[in-house]
Amino acid sequence: DADVTQTPRNRITKTGKRIMLECSQTKGHDRMYWYRQDPGLGLQLIYYSFDVKDINKGEISDGYSVSRQAQAKFSLSLESAIPNQTALYFCATSDPSGSTDTQYFGPGTRLTVL
Amino acid sequence: QQQVKQSPQSLIVQKGGISIINCAYENTAFDYFPWYQQFPGKGPALLIAIRPDVSEKKEGRFTISFNKSAKQFSLHIMDSQPGDSATYFCAASIQGAGSYQLTFGKGTKLSVIP
């Protein structure tokens, strides 16, 4: 969905390096999420933010940190990357003002940690 | 603890056949059950969703069947087409509590062969 963009789309890095994945959205949604996808494991929630001042840990937050710079921007950082953080990372947004809270996903960032 | 169990992990169906994917949940507080569809290289996108006050919801060739007493729900794809080949994720959330966090199943890779 072009309304949710992620940069970079692919990244190869080495163990111990600091990495930042960025997410931007033009949907005007307050809620933003970071997920990790591994083959056969589905989508696991890393962090979520209900507004700029509200950031919460998800089920697998260890080794990750986030920053909500503005309503439209939500960044995920790996302070010291390790090989088992190799995965596909998705950002998503949602607007709970409707009757349901549909999440809109970005195209993903494929991260490889060597 | 996996709160949403999805099966099968992979499914091969012939064109024109019926694809059936099943999910079971544990938390009786879940009150919103969406299905997301993901094509290779893309982020997941909402396909169809149901609330527990109805037993079935149909949108075109896609139908969700919901069994509250058994804590199970399933996705049926009628007249399956090669373009339906994708990974399907069931999910559940507690929207009534205002959290709107989605818990995903591990996904089913569907291949529809001509």
Side-chain angles (χ1 to χ4, degrees):
Chain A
D1 190 331
D3 296 325
V4 183
T5 58
Q6 293 184 234
T7 55
R9 293 295 312 279
N10 289 281
R11 181 71 183 268
I12 299 174
T13 190
K14 295 182 178 180
T15 297
K17 294 291 187 180
R18 184 179 187 274
I19 295 296
M20 179 180 286
L21 309 183
E22 297 184 338
C23 176
S24 295
Q25 53 114 345
T26 59
K27 301 185 78 68
H29 291 170
D30 285 328
R31 297 186 174 187
M32 298 187 73
Y33 311 79
W34 274 105
Y35 289 93
R36 167 178 173 157
Q37 184 177 29
D38 297 277
L41 292 181
L43 291 148
Q44 297 174 284
L45 183 63
I46 306 173
Y47 271 94
Y48 60 102
S49 171
F50 283 175
D51 62 42
V52 176
K53 297 181 180 179
D54 180 20
I55 294 178
N56 305 279
K57 293 182 177 180
E59 55 188 308
I60 57 163
S61 59
D62 287 349
Y64 302 95
S65 63
V66 291
S67 174
R68 184 82 183 266
Q69 300 95 325
Q71 185 205 38
K73 297 184 180 296
F74 194 33
S75 300
L76 176 71
S77 293
L78 288 68
E79 296 300 326
S80 180
I82 56 176
N84 75 1
Q85 291 177 313
T86 293
L88 194 53
Y89 291 85
F90 287 101
C91 173
T93 74
S94 70
D95 176 12
S97 62
S99 60
T100 62
D101 192 32
T102 300
Q103 292 191 16
Y104 298 87
F105 286 79
T109 294
R110 185 170 297 280
L111 176 66
T112 303
V113 184
L114 302 176
Chain B
Q1 178 185 5
Q2 183 191 359
Q3 296 191 55
V4 180
K5 294 184 179 180
Q6 183 172 346
S7 63
Q9 188 173 5
S10 63
L11 181 62
I12 299 174
V13 174
Q14 282 203 313
K15 179 181 176 181
I18 302 173
S19 303
I20 301 175
I21 303 171
N22 300 299
C23 285
Y25 61 97
E26 300 166 3
N27 189 343
T28 55
F30 287 142
D31 58 4
Y32 176 63
F33 302 89
W35 285 87
Y36 279 76
Q37 180 188 53
Q38 183 182 27
F39 292 106
K42 303 290 186 181
L46 179 67
L47 179 64
I48 187 173
I50 196 169
R51 293 193 178 280
D53 53 345
V54 297
S55 60
E56 184 175 285
K57 183 174 182 180
K58 183 176 181 180
E59 291 184 0
R61 295 183 294 107
F62 300 90
T63 299
I64 299 178
S65 296
F66 185 82
N67 186 329
K68 187 174 182 178
S69 61
K71 295 187 288 184
Q72 295 176 346
F73 59 110
S74 60
L75 176 69
H76 295 238
I77 306 174
M78 311 300 289
D79 186 27
S80 298
Q81 299 296 312
D84 297 330
S85 297
T87 299
Y88 293 80
F89 294 95
C90 63
S93 70
I94 310 173
Q95 301 218 324
S99 67
Y100 301 100
Q101 292 182 61
L102 287 173
T103 299
F104 285 89
K106 293 186 176 183
T108 296
K109 185 175 182 180
L110 172 65
S111 299
V112 181
I113 56 177

